[in-house]
Amino acid sequence: MKKFAVLGDPIGHSLSPIIHNLFSKQTGIELTYEALKVSSLAFEKKVYELFEEGYDGLNITLPHKNLAFKQADTLSSESKEIQAVNTLWVDNKKINGHTTDGEGFISDLRLKSLQVRGQHILIIGAGSAARSIIPFLLNLLPSEVTIINRTQEKAELLARYFQNSTNISGRGFDSKSRYNYDAIINTSSHEALGTSLHISDNIFEKAQWVYDLMYSEKGTHFIQQAKAKGIKNSFDGIGMLVAQASLSFKIWTGVKPEVESVIDKMLK
């Protein structure tokens, strides 16, 4: 019996235990998977305790991915670039860290046949979630990427970090914009934190698709706003969640579950 858990704060909304139990049924690998609320102050100690208790792997969610990055003894190249970790496991008595978020996100875009190449992409938010997907997104060769954030300086800083890759810029929510985005990706954590995301309806004017990394049974506020503006191709992060979870599962067990049937079950 393998033992896994996801650590975050808040954590009550997490669907990861359901997803991994579906992976268990699909693959025949017996496991337990818990959702544990852990504060930032208690995070490092809790990780050590869980591995000492024999846990085989841990997923990390808001707001601890940077703490996990700092705690890991060995890091993947993707984690080093993004400076965040969402998957931990122990090998040769060392804590290993990797991020599956970016690859999971791109996997879901491809599954949904969403076009990135040659497109002007708007990213809302400049935190760790945005940072985790940007390098993978840039590999698909968009024509331009704009990052907007409540704090303009943070958006500009993140854009400069990736400025050697493509035409990428950062600005504040109140900055004047051309509103000619082909696609919009919301990476902000407002939904999970229960706060409001105040963005103009005008950003949806020319968008062909939108994607929210967060998820909600009734649809996130961002997705509701997009659909109200007539954007039919509006998706929340369920597909990404399942895809990135399957990659963590493969790291821990050596077996990669099939994701489409699991996504369908989660949507139903």
Side-chain angles (χ1 to χ4, degrees):
M1 177 76 73
K2 292 187 175 293
K3 296 169 64 177
F4 307 113
V6 57
L7 279 58
D9 185 14
I11 199 65
H13 67 287
S14 177
L15 299 177
S16 293
I18 298 173
I19 292 170
H20 282 272
N21 278 303
L22 289 172
F23 289 164
S24 173
K25 292 177 182 178
Q26 180 189 132
T27 63
I29 298 173
E30 295 186 357
L31 59 85
T32 62
Y33 191 105
E34 304 164 81
L36 303 176
K37 183 178 180 179
V38 181
S39 69
S40 296
L41 291 176
F43 178 79
E44 183 176 357
K45 181 180 178 182
K46 188 65 175 180
V47 168
Y48 286 131
E49 288 176 350
L50 291 172
F51 282 131
E52 287 174 0
E53 292 170 13
Y55 279 71
D56 296 282
L58 302 175
N59 280 138
I60 312 300
T61 189
L62 290 170
H64 303 322
K65 293 181 182 181
N66 184 253
L67 291 176
F69 171 79
K70 293 177 181 178
Q71 189 170 359
D73 301 307
T74 303
L75 292 162
S76 66
S77 58
E78 294 90 344
S79 294
K80 289 178 181 177
E81 181 177 25
I82 293 166
Q83 298 182 4
V85 158
N86 78 335
T87 305
L88 293 173
W89 71 101
V90 171
D91 187 27
N92 293 325
K93 298 182 179 181
K94 290 186 177 182
I95 297 176
N96 291 264
H98 179 59
T99 176
T100 63
D101 284 334
E103 189 177 349
F105 171 67
I106 296 303
S107 174
D108 197 43
L109 292 190
R110 287 173 172 155
L111 186 62
K112 293 174 168 59
S113 300
L114 299 178
Q115 180 68 23
V116 173
R117 187 184 183 96
Q119 305 296 294
H120 185 180
I121 310 294
L122 173 66
I123 295 176
I124 302 172
S128 60
R131 194 182 189 99
S132 71
I133 66 167
I134 287 175
F136 295 87
L137 196 67
L138 295 178
N139 286 339
L140 298 184
L141 304 178
S143 64
E144 187 175 352
V145 174
T146 301
I147 305 166
I148 62 171
N149 192 67
R150 192 180 303 278
T151 305
Q152 181 170 335
E153 183 181 2
K154 193 173 182 181
E156 292 173 344
L157 186 64
L158 184 59
R160 284 198 297 271
Y161 186 79
F162 293 106
Q163 66 185 359
N164 292 331
S165 300
T166 191
N167 186 8
I168 183 168
S169 61
R171 59 183 63 168
F173 277 179
D174 297 328
S175 298
K176 293 182 179 180
S177 174
R178 292 168 292 170
Y179 301 123
N180 63 339
Y181 309 113
D182 299 302
I184 306 170
I185 302 165
N186 180 32
T187 72
S188 72
S189 56
H190 289 276
E191 191 80 21
L193 299 176
T195 56
S196 298
L197 177 63
H198 299 292
I199 54 174
S200 170
D201 285 342
N202 293 333
I203 68 169
F204 299 108
E205 284 181 3
K206 296 185 179 181
Q208 298 301 305
W209 59 266
V210 302
Y211 195 106
D212 194 339
L213 268 58
M214 293 288 113
Y215 52 87
S216 170
E217 184 176 352
K218 297 179 180 179
T220 66
H221 291 97
F222 172 75
I223 293 298
Q224 291 176 22
Q225 190 175 359
K227 287 184 175 180
K229 293 297 291 184
I231 311 299
K232 294 181 180 180
N233 291 323
S234 301
F235 304 97
D236 69 12
I238 287 293
M240 173 183 172
L241 180 67
V242 174
Q244 64 83 20
S246 74
L247 296 168
S248 294
F249 192 91
K250 181 180 179 181
I251 289 172
W252 298 329
T253 68
V255 178
K256 187 177 183 298
E258 182 272 323
V259 301
E260 289 189 56
S261 64
V262 176
I263 292 173
D264 288 341
K265 288 177 182 177
M266 298 302 296
L267 292 173
K268 292 175 182 177

